[in-house]
Each structure stands twice: as structure tokens, then as C-alpha cells.
């Protein structure tokens, strides 16, 4: 792959303790975490808390990926574009590095769906990171018969190659 030598490691998590608590965010930062994927379904019900979360992350130098998870939430781009527009007027959203569009796509059909969101994402979140988290290789080899390298390569060719901004690939490791 053309991306073989362009690796940087970022450590992140998908769920976390009370992120409105600055001490909890500091603990995450001190543990080596670079970012947290913030779940929109839980957070958007508490707009005031979301502002505090942004403040805590900015103060601690941590980053946030907004969890769109298009696989289970078809209107996620709309939810988060509202968050980054109307609802965060006056909030410092520098900590927001992008949006997690899908967690663990299970094949080429879902990867094709992910690629279909690129244009809408880049229109709503110019300059932000488009992110999808791939299946872990050990789970893949136990569950699917297709080659894991072909799965990753298909994602790179179909999604990564079509992004205009920074390119990022993620896999779980439990």
C-alpha cells in the first residue's frame, strides 16, 4: 500500500467516565490517551455538559472524535453539524479533530457505504478528520473467510484514497 510508511500511533477510546469532570479528563490524558470518541446519542441530550466537555479537553490538550456511527445513526452528520454550528456558538471546539463515521465495518458493502458519506462529511466538516474504525485482525481471522489484508486494502482504496484531508486508519485492539 502507498500508506505503508506513513504511520503515526494515536491512542484513543470509545467510551469514558464523566467527561464533564476535569479531573477525569486529566486522568485519561495522563494515561497516554490522545483522543476520546464522544457518543452523540448520549451527549447531545445535555448541551450544557457538552460545552464543559469541550472546555475540559481544550484545557488538557486532549482531542475528541464526534461519534457519528453512520451504521446505526443515519442522521449523525446532521446532529454533529448542528453541534458544531448552532449549538456551539461561542464554544471553543479546537479539541474536535473529526468524526467517527463507522465502527467495525464487516465487509465491502459497508465500506462502500462509508465511502458514500465522504462528500457530505467534507461539506459539513471541512478540515476535520474522517474516521472509521476497522475490525481487529484477530477477530477477523476467526470470523470471516476473506483475507484481512484484502479487507484493509479495499478500505484504503475505497475510502482513504478519496479523502481530501488528512488520512487516518484505525483498528481495535482489545
Amino acid at each position: 500500500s502507498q500508506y505503508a510508511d506513513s504511520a503515526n500511533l494515536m491512542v484513543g477510546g470509545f467510551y469514558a467516565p464523566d467527561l464533564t469532570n476535569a479531573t477525569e479528563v486529566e486522568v485519561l490524558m495522563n494515561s497516554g490517551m490522545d483522543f476520546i470518541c464522544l457518543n452523540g446519542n448520549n451527549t447531545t441530550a445535555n448541551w450544557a455538559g457538552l460545552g464543559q466537555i469541550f472546555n475540559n479537553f481544550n484545557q488538557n490538550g486532549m482531542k475528541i472524535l464526534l461519534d457519528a456511527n453512520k451504521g446505526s445513526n443515519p442522521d449523525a452528520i446532521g446532529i454533529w453539524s448542528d453541534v458544531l454550528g448552532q449549538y456551539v456558538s461561542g464554544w471553543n471546539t479546537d479539541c474536535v479533530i473529526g468524526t467517527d463515521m463507522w465502527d467495525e465495518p464487516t465487509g465491502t458493502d459497508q465500506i462502500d457505504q462509508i465511502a458514500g458519506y465522504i462528500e457530505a462529511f467534507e461539506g459539513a466538516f471541512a478540515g476535520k478528520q474522517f474516521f472509521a474504525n476497522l475490525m481487529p485482525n484477530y477477530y477477523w481471522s476467526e470470523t470471516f473467510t476473506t483475507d484481512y489484508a484484502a479487507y484493509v486494502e479495499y478500505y484504503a482504496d475505497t475510502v482513504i484514497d478519496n479523502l481530501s484531508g488528512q488520512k487516518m486508519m484505525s483498528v481495535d485492539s482489545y
Side-chain angles (χ1 to χ4, degrees):
S1 169
Q2 65 178 319
Y3 305 106
D5 295 329
S6 60
N8 291 318
L9 179 64
M10 289 180 67
V11 177
F14 279 85
Y15 300 100
D18 180 9
L19 300 176
T20 61
N21 180 325
T23 303
E24 294 287 346
V25 175
E26 186 176 354
V27 167
L28 292 172
M29 182 200 66
N30 289 335
S31 73
M33 302 281 281
D34 297 301
F35 69 91
I36 292 292
C37 190
L38 190 62
N39 184 302
N41 296 329
N42 299 329
T43 308
T44 52
N46 180 3
W47 296 112
L50 186 60
Q52 183 60 52
I53 290 169
F54 288 167
N55 287 339
N56 291 341
F57 274 70
N58 284 318
Q59 289 172 3
N60 284 287
M62 283 193 64
K63 301 298 180 190
I64 293 173
L65 280 170
L66 303 174
D67 184 5
N69 202 354
K70 293 292 285 184
S72 62
N73 187 0
D75 189 39
I77 289 177
I79 289 171
W80 284 123
S81 62
D82 286 347
V83 168
L84 293 180
Q86 174 183 355
Y87 294 104
V88 293
S89 178
W91 290 353
N92 179 350
T93 59
D94 290 347
C95 60
V96 177
I97 57 172
T99 302
D100 175 20
M101 299 304 292
W102 202 293
D103 188 32
E104 298 182 343
T106 57
T108 57
D109 59 330
Q110 290 183 349
I111 292 172
D112 290 341
Q113 283 183 275
I114 294 167
Y117 300 129
I118 292 172
E119 185 177 343
F121 171 86
E122 290 184 343
F125 302 108
K128 297 294 184 184
Q129 179 68 56
F130 185 98
F131 178 92
N133 185 54
L134 301 180
M135 300 285 283
N137 67 338
Y138 50 86
Y139 176 79
W140 183 269
S141 62
E142 294 172 4
T143 309
F144 300 98
T145 58
T146 58
D147 181 52
Y148 187 74
Y151 165 73
V152 171
E153 193 69 33
Y154 188 82
Y155 179 80
D157 292 344
T158 307
V159 176
I160 300 285
D161 285 352
N162 292 300
L163 294 170
S164 60
Q166 179 182 1
K167 297 166 189 320
M168 180 181 211
M169 185 178 293
S170 170
V171 295
D172 276 332
S173 181
Y174 299 109

